Amino acid sequence: QPLQEYLQQQIDSETYDFIANKALLKLYSFYPEQSSDHHIALALTKALMALPSTDMALLMYLVPETVQSKEPVATLVRCAEHLETAKFVEFWEVANLGGNELLDNVPGFDEAIRSYMIGVLSITYQKLESETFADLLALDEGDLEEYVSANQSDKLAIDGKNVVFTPNSENQQRPKKFKENISFDQMLPLIDFLASS
């Protein structure tokens, strides 16, 4: 099928077309006899790489429960849950890169996921210990400085034993805003009562 070939082309060229992948999964729901678990898994992998978009969740509605419970889709579902709940160390354990036949054959998978993780961490922290950061991104601490300078120098920097995230609207302290809901006119009877007693 042309859509299956196009999906493979997306894998090879590191591009992404959600509309085409959604159309492929819709066709599979209309013609289950032509369904391919491998291509479903590839479409879901590309959607996972597009986080923080909701593409993965949307495509899951088109995947039959029987396929969701089988490998490799079941692993992708667990991976998505760990990423969406910021359980990054657990994600790397489940993804098992280097031993996962599906994910190891998708170029750019680990970089797309690390980019998503950095985005989540940058809206949560101003700085993080280098060792913790390396663990969360499944990097060797020795490779961390090279990784940051080569890939992410616009989002973070290394400062001693810490990774410092570029300030953004989410990771900065906000002034506390409060509003008095009681006017002086409303308080006047209470003040008069207290003064008279």
Side-chain angles (χ1 to χ4, degrees):
Q1 274 196 350
L3 286 174
Q4 289 176 337
E5 292 169 11
Y6 182 51
L7 175 58
Q8 189 58 52
Q9 184 182 342
Q10 291 175 56
I11 300 291
D12 297 338
S13 64
E14 296 187 44
T15 57
Y16 179 56
D17 186 343
F18 171 72
I19 303 296
N21 296 346
K22 183 174 81 169
L24 177 64
L25 295 187
K26 269 189 181 177
L27 284 172
Y28 285 161
S29 65
F30 292 130
Y31 304 101
E33 68 281 356
Q34 294 189 10
S35 179
S36 162
D37 291 356
H38 176 71
H39 285 95
I40 291 172
L42 286 177
L44 293 174
T45 301
K46 291 302 283 185
L48 190 62
M49 292 169 66
L51 280 170
S53 77
T54 58
D55 294 358
M56 176 81 173
L58 294 171
L59 290 182
M60 287 303 295
Y61 287 109
L62 298 171
V63 178
E65 285 185 28
T66 55
V67 176
Q68 289 182 29
S69 61
K70 292 191 298 189
E71 291 300 330
V73 174
T75 297
L76 291 172
V77 170
R78 286 195 313 277
C79 285
E81 289 170 357
H82 289 312
L83 287 172
E84 290 171 1
T85 56
K87 295 179 181 175
F88 299 146
V89 173
E90 291 87 345
F91 163 80
W92 293 112
E93 291 170 3
V94 171
N96 188 26
L97 295 185
N100 186 318
E101 189 177 325
L102 173 72
L103 300 179
D104 290 341
N105 291 318
V106 178
F109 178 79
D110 54 343
E111 283 310 308
I113 298 303
R114 284 189 179 109
S115 180
Y116 166 73
M117 290 175 175
I118 289 170
V120 170
L121 294 171
S122 73
I123 62 174
T124 308
Y125 298 102
Q126 291 178 344
K127 69 179 178 180
L128 197 57
E129 288 183 5
S130 298
E131 184 179 342
T132 303
F133 182 78
D135 287 344
L136 291 172
L137 268 65
L139 294 169
D140 293 328
E141 204 170 344
D143 298 336
L144 187 59
E145 195 165 331
E146 182 182 327
Y147 174 78
V148 168
S149 63
N151 299 299
Q152 303 292 335
S153 58
D154 59 326
K155 296 178 185 170
L156 47 100
I158 295 182
D159 181 22
K161 295 243 179 230
N162 292 312
V163 172
V164 179
F165 295 96
T166 304
N168 61 56
S169 63
E170 298 296 324
N171 71 4
Q172 298 301 304
Q173 187 173 5
R174 296 183 183 122
K176 293 183 179 172
K177 296 178 184 177
F178 61 93
K179 181 180 173 185
E180 291 185 22
N181 292 329
I182 301 175
S183 69
F184 183 72
D185 292 337
Q186 292 171 324
M187 291 294 294
L188 203 49
L190 179 62
I191 294 170
D192 286 342
F193 174 74
L194 293 173
S196 65
S197 44

